[in-house]
Amino acid sequence: MTAVILAGFDAGQTSCRCRLRRWDNRRNLWQDFADGSGSPVSHLDAEGGEDRFRAALRSSLHAAWAAAEAEAPGSLTATPALAAAAIGASGLEQGTALQARAQTLMAAELTLPPHRCLATGDERTALHGAFPDAAGIVLISGTGMICLGRNSQGEEARSGGWGWMLDGGGGAFDLGHQGLQLTLRMADGRLPDKPLRQQLWQALQCSSAAEIKALVVRPERSVPALAQLAPLVQDAAAAGDHDAAAILQRSADALAEAVTAVANRLSLATVAISPRGGALEHLPLFRAAVERALEARLPHWHWQAGQADACAGALTLAERLLRPR
């Protein structure tokens, strides 16, 4: 009998991960059997975006097949065909033409019928990995932010994540951006000069306000550059800089606002939150500010480690593609 094999992808701007899962007839369950990592993706509309998307699928899937063969040499006499696949990537909004394009590219690259492919936002794969069978909220704060939740009826609600130009509050970019705004006021004499100005300007290799202005008009460079300033803003707050501490709190309030909106729309009496992203994982003072903001808004909430990662969430969504409609 031909093995039923699924592929789940977690695509990012650093790398794309792939996990393979197959149906075990003897145990009557799904079993993960290989992981691989490949090249990164960018936005589909960026120059070369479609080629990078296909290359990420191809390279990470190839790496996963190679890992399976290395684990059990000779077990794959030929590369088996996939039954279904799902990928999570930033910017793939539900029901948009961009999502449809991504699914068409998947079908062509993986040699699958379109109805056996799902391309969706990485927040959805994170949610279905963290809470595959239960209500909960995934709060992602990395370079940007987004919040997505699901209730026990399977209804989903999203808040935030509308891009750095419109809705950056709550991510590392927001912390760095607000910090840099402070330094320009310091440079003008609108605020007293503090060590934070020199630290941020040195990190950006700039020596004047004019150089800062030139940097930020190139968003392809300035967004990640400003996100990398977030730890310096946190350090300044820890050292007693009240303006830096206020930045942390404003950004934390933006995250708590998003969580509260999702919890209210889904009528969640108890709110389990799985925190994801570098800002929440690596900036403890910021995370503490988020906790204070949540305490002020939600009577019953708690952090909950996700059951599994985004690759597992993608595989959960891929399984559903096999079910009769």
Side-chain angles (χ1 to χ4, degrees), residues 29-318:
L29 51 74
W30 290 102
Q31 182 179 38
D32 295 347
F33 68 96
D35 284 78
S37 183
S39 58
V41 298
S42 61
H43 196 284
L44 279 186
D45 283 334
E47 184 177 355
E50 292 192 355
D51 289 339
R52 277 189 287 273
F53 185 80
R54 293 189 63 156
L57 289 167
R58 182 168 58 252
S59 60
S60 58
L61 179 59
H62 177 79
W65 286 129
E69 176 62 23
E71 180 70 20
S75 61
L76 300 176
T77 56
T79 301
L82 297 175
I87 186 171
S90 177
L92 295 181
E93 304 288 351
Q94 286 292 103
T96 63
L98 198 67
Q99 182 188 38
R101 278 172 55 199
Q103 291 178 175
T104 298
L105 292 169
M106 281 185 75
E109 185 61 45
L110 302 177
T111 320
L112 279 168
H115 68 278
R116 292 292 177 85
C117 295
L118 175 66
T120 189
D122 53 3
E123 72 280 357
R124 285 197 74 216
T125 52
L127 176 66
H128 287 268
F131 301 101
D133 302 307
I137 290 175
V138 165
L139 177 62
I140 303 174
S141 176
T143 297
M145 63 76 66
I146 191 167
C147 179
L148 184 71
R150 189 175 70 253
N151 61 21
S152 56
Q153 289 76 46
E155 298 169 323
E156 294 185 5
R158 170 257 187 93
S159 183
W162 300 112
W164 66 271
M165 287 188 70
L166 299 173
D167 193 32
F173 166 81
D174 183 49
L175 297 174
H177 184 218
Q178 290 191 64
L180 201 58
Q181 288 177 311
L182 271 184
T183 70
L184 295 176
R185 295 168 68 193
M186 294 174 191
D188 284 350
R190 287 178 280 170
L191 289 176
D193 200 12
K194 295 180 182 178
L196 181 61
R197 182 190 61 78
Q198 184 176 7
Q199 292 163 0
L200 297 190
W201 285 18
Q202 284 180 344
L204 295 175
Q205 299 181 341
C206 294
S207 59
S208 69
E211 290 181 2
I212 295 293
K213 180 180 179 181
L215 172 74
V216 300
V217 298
R218 293 174 287 172
E220 75 284 353
R221 180 183 172 191
S222 67
V223 172
L226 267 61
Q228 292 172 8
L229 301 179
L232 295 175
V233 176
Q234 177 183 254
D235 291 347
D241 187 321
H242 297 298
D243 290 324
I247 288 173
L248 294 190
Q249 195 59 55
R250 284 194 296 272
S251 199
D253 287 339
L255 291 184
E257 179 184 70
V259 171
T260 302
V262 169
N264 288 340
R265 286 167 61 193
L266 295 175
S267 301
L268 298 177
T270 300
V271 184
I273 307 170
S274 177
R276 304 290 177 100
L280 288 173
E281 293 171 2
H282 304 306
L283 300 177
L285 202 63
F286 176 57
R287 180 165 169 146
V290 174
E291 291 170 353
R292 289 194 300 271
L294 288 169
E295 291 287 351
R297 288 167 172 79
L298 292 171
H300 304 292
W301 76 274
H302 62 276
W303 295 128
Q304 182 169 316
Q307 183 172 325
D309 63 9
C311 274
L315 286 164
T316 295
L317 294 171

